Amino acid sequence: MKIDWKAKLTSRKFWAAVVGFITALLIAFGVSDMQIEQIVAVVMASATLIAYIIGEGLVDTERLKNKEDK
């Protein structure tokens, strides 16, 4: 089974799962609440940027395909 990484990386459910996993690990290792908040903020900001870049790339690809078809 091949993983569709484009779909995964643009999925809000995927990023929520990643943040949940990271948060649980940080709590288990005794990281302070302030540090956890900062790390989660960085992960979510990164996720937003990654999803935007991939999403725009997909839109651009479709736009080029439609131009070529005409």
Side-chain angles (χ1 to χ4, degrees):
M1 181 176 172
K2 188 175 177 182
I3 297 174
D4 183 0
W5 285 106
K6 288 179 187 176
K8 288 281 185 209
L9 293 175
T10 57
S11 166
R12 289 175 288 179
K13 290 178 186 176
F14 172 75
W15 288 109
V18 168
V19 167
F21 179 74
I22 290 171
T23 302
L25 282 178
L26 294 172
I27 291 170
F29 286 109
V31 176
S32 74
D33 289 346
M34 180 61 83
Q35 288 177 317
I36 291 173
E37 288 178 20
Q38 290 172 339
I39 292 168
V40 167
V42 169
V43 170
M44 290 309 296
S46 301
T48 301
L49 182 61
I50 290 168
Y52 177 78
I53 290 170
I54 292 172
E56 285 299 309
L58 293 172
V59 168
D60 291 345
T61 300
E62 285 300 315
R63 193 175 298 134
L64 287 173
K65 284 181 185 177
N66 289 335
K67 283 184 180 179
E68 290 174 1
D69 291 342
K70 291 182 179 182

